[in-house]
PDB file of all heavy atoms in Angstrom:
ATOM      1  N   THR A 291      34.015  17.858 -33.832  1.00  0.00           N
ATOM      2  CA  THR A 291      34.798  16.976 -32.962  1.00  0.00           C
ATOM      3  C   THR A 291      33.880  15.968 -32.282  1.00  0.00           C
ATOM      4  O   THR A 291      32.657  16.095 -32.329  1.00  0.00           O
ATOM      5  CB  THR A 291      35.538  17.769 -31.860  1.00  0.00           C
ATOM      6  OG1 THR A 291      34.567  18.383 -31.006  1.00  0.00           O
ATOM      7  CG2 THR A 291      36.464  18.820 -32.460  1.00  0.00           C
ATOM      8  N   GLU A 292      34.504  14.996 -31.638  1.00  0.00           N
ATOM      9  CA  GLU A 292      33.724  13.949 -30.965  1.00  0.00           C
ATOM     10  C   GLU A 292      34.432  13.519 -29.686  1.00  0.00           C
ATOM     11  O   GLU A 292      35.655  13.673 -29.557  1.00  0.00           O
ATOM     12  CB  GLU A 292      33.563  12.739 -31.893  1.00  0.00           C
ATOM     13  CG  GLU A 292      34.883  12.036 -32.188  1.00  0.00           C
ATOM     14  CD  GLU A 292      34.866  11.200 -33.460  1.00  0.00           C
ATOM     15  OE1 GLU A 292      34.271  11.636 -34.468  1.00  0.00           O
ATOM     16  OE2 GLU A 292      35.467  10.107 -33.440  1.00  0.00           O
ATOM     17  N   GLN A 293      33.673  12.964 -28.772  1.00  0.00           N
ATOM     18  CA  GLN A 293      34.224  12.454 -27.514  1.00  0.00           C
ATOM     19  C   GLN A 293      34.273  10.933 -27.568  1.00  0.00           C
ATOM     20  O   GLN A 293      33.231  10.279 -27.548  1.00  0.00           O
ATOM     21  CB  GLN A 293      33.341  12.894 -26.346  1.00  0.00           C
ATOM     22  CG  GLN A 293      33.784  12.347 -25.006  1.00  0.00           C
ATOM     23  CD  GLN A 293      35.167  12.833 -24.623  1.00  0.00           C
ATOM     24  OE1 GLN A 293      35.370  14.024 -24.476  1.00  0.00           O
ATOM     25  NE2 GLN A 293      36.129  11.911 -24.493  1.00  0.00           N
ATOM     26  N   PRO A 294      35.483  10.354 -27.678  1.00  0.00           N
ATOM     27  CA  PRO A 294      35.551   8.887 -27.644  1.00  0.00           C
ATOM     28  C   PRO A 294      35.186   8.390 -26.247  1.00  0.00           C
ATOM     29  O   PRO A 294      35.734   8.869 -25.257  1.00  0.00           O
ATOM     30  CB  PRO A 294      37.012   8.573 -27.966  1.00  0.00           C
ATOM     31  CG  PRO A 294      37.638   9.855 -28.385  1.00  0.00           C
ATOM     32  CD  PRO A 294      36.815  10.961 -27.785  1.00  0.00           C
ATOM     33  N   ILE A 295      34.262   7.465 -26.181  1.00  0.00           N
ATOM     34  CA  ILE A 295      33.811   6.945 -24.889  1.00  0.00           C
ATOM     35  C   ILE A 295      34.949   6.162 -24.229  1.00  0.00           C
ATOM     36  O   ILE A 295      35.592   5.328 -24.862  1.00  0.00           O
ATOM     37  CB  ILE A 295      32.575   6.034 -25.075  1.00  0.00           C
ATOM     38  CG1 ILE A 295      31.429   6.824 -25.695  1.00  0.00           C
ATOM     39  CG2 ILE A 295      32.139   5.394 -23.761  1.00  0.00           C
ATOM     40  CD1 ILE A 295      30.921   7.983 -24.879  1.00  0.00           C
ATOM     41  N   GLY A 296      35.182   6.484 -22.954  1.00  0.00           N
ATOM     42  CA  GLY A 296      36.242   5.806 -22.214  1.00  0.00           C
ATOM     43  C   GLY A 296      37.588   6.499 -22.316  1.00  0.00           C
ATOM     44  O   GLY A 296      38.571   6.052 -21.733  1.00  0.00           O
ATOM     45  N   LYS A 297      37.670   7.607 -23.083  1.00  0.00           N
ATOM     46  CA  LYS A 297      38.926   8.349 -23.197  1.00  0.00           C
ATOM     47  C   LYS A 297      38.693   9.779 -22.731  1.00  0.00           C
ATOM     48  O   LYS A 297      37.553  10.260 -22.759  1.00  0.00           O
ATOM     49  CB  LYS A 297      39.376   8.412 -24.654  1.00  0.00           C
ATOM     50  CG  LYS A 297      39.976   7.127 -25.202  1.00  0.00           C
ATOM     51  CD  LYS A 297      40.248   7.374 -26.651  1.00  0.00           C
ATOM     52  CE  LYS A 297      41.431   6.717 -27.250  1.00  0.00           C
ATOM     53  NZ  LYS A 297      41.555   7.067 -28.669  1.00  0.00           N
ATOM     54  N   SER A 298      39.739  10.464 -22.373  1.00  0.00           N
ATOM     55  CA  SER A 298      39.547  11.872 -22.022  1.00  0.00           C
ATOM     56  C   SER A 298      39.963  12.736 -23.210  1.00  0.00           C
ATOM     57  O   SER A 298      40.898  12.413 -23.933  1.00  0.00           O
ATOM     58  CB  SER A 298      40.352  12.232 -20.773  1.00  0.00           C
ATOM     59  OG  SER A 298      41.707  12.020 -21.025  1.00  0.00           O
ATOM     60  N   GLY A 299      39.256  13.810 -23.416  1.00  0.00           N
ATOM     61  CA  GLY A 299      39.583  14.732 -24.506  1.00  0.00           C
ATOM     62  C   GLY A 299      38.865  14.387 -25.789  1.00  0.00           C
ATOM     63  O   GLY A 299      38.669  13.211 -26.109  1.00  0.00           O
ATOM     64  N   ARG A 300      38.455  15.431 -26.513  1.00  0.00           N
ATOM     65  CA  ARG A 300      37.757  15.240 -27.781  1.00  0.00           C
ATOM     66  C   ARG A 300      38.765  15.062 -28.901  1.00  0.00           C
ATOM     67  O   ARG A 300      39.935  15.407 -28.754  1.00  0.00           O
ATOM     68  CB  ARG A 300      36.833  16.434 -28.056  1.00  0.00           C
ATOM     69  CG  ARG A 300      35.743  16.592 -26.998  1.00  0.00           C
ATOM     70  CD  ARG A 300      34.826  17.759 -27.300  1.00  0.00           C
ATOM     71  NE  ARG A 300      33.915  17.494 -28.407  1.00  0.00           N
ATOM     72  CZ  ARG A 300      32.749  16.859 -28.289  1.00  0.00           C
ATOM     73  NH1 ARG A 300      32.357  16.390 -27.119  1.00  0.00           N
ATOM     74  NH2 ARG A 300      31.972  16.672 -29.332  1.00  0.00           N
ATOM     75  N   GLN A 301      38.308  14.505 -30.013  1.00  0.00           N
ATOM     76  CA  GLN A 301      39.174  14.346 -31.189  1.00  0.00           C
ATOM     77  C   GLN A 301      38.416  14.826 -32.422  1.00  0.00           C
ATOM     78  O   GLN A 301      37.187  14.878 -32.416  1.00  0.00           O
ATOM     79  CB  GLN A 301      39.618  12.881 -31.332  1.00  0.00           C
ATOM     80  CG  GLN A 301      38.474  11.926 -31.640  1.00  0.00           C
ATOM     81  CD  GLN A 301      38.901  10.447 -31.610  1.00  0.00           C
ATOM     82  OE1 GLN A 301      39.785  10.058 -30.845  1.00  0.00           O
ATOM     83  NE2 GLN A 301      38.269   9.637 -32.428  1.00  0.00           N
ATOM     84  N   PRO A 302      39.171  15.183 -33.488  1.00  0.00           N
ATOM     85  CA  PRO A 302      38.478  15.665 -34.681  1.00  0.00           C
ATOM     86  C   PRO A 302      37.615  14.565 -35.284  1.00  0.00           C
ATOM     87  O   PRO A 302      37.990  13.387 -35.252  1.00  0.00           O
ATOM     88  CB  PRO A 302      39.612  16.018 -35.654  1.00  0.00           C
ATOM     89  CG  PRO A 302      40.862  15.999 -34.862  1.00  0.00           C
ATOM     90  CD  PRO A 302      40.631  15.162 -33.636  1.00  0.00           C
TER      91      PRO A 302
END
Side-chain angles (χ1 to χ4, degrees):
T291 64
E292 66 202 40
Q293 177 62 62
I295 299 298
K297 284 176 146 180
S298 61
R300 298 181 73 84
Q301 66 187 32

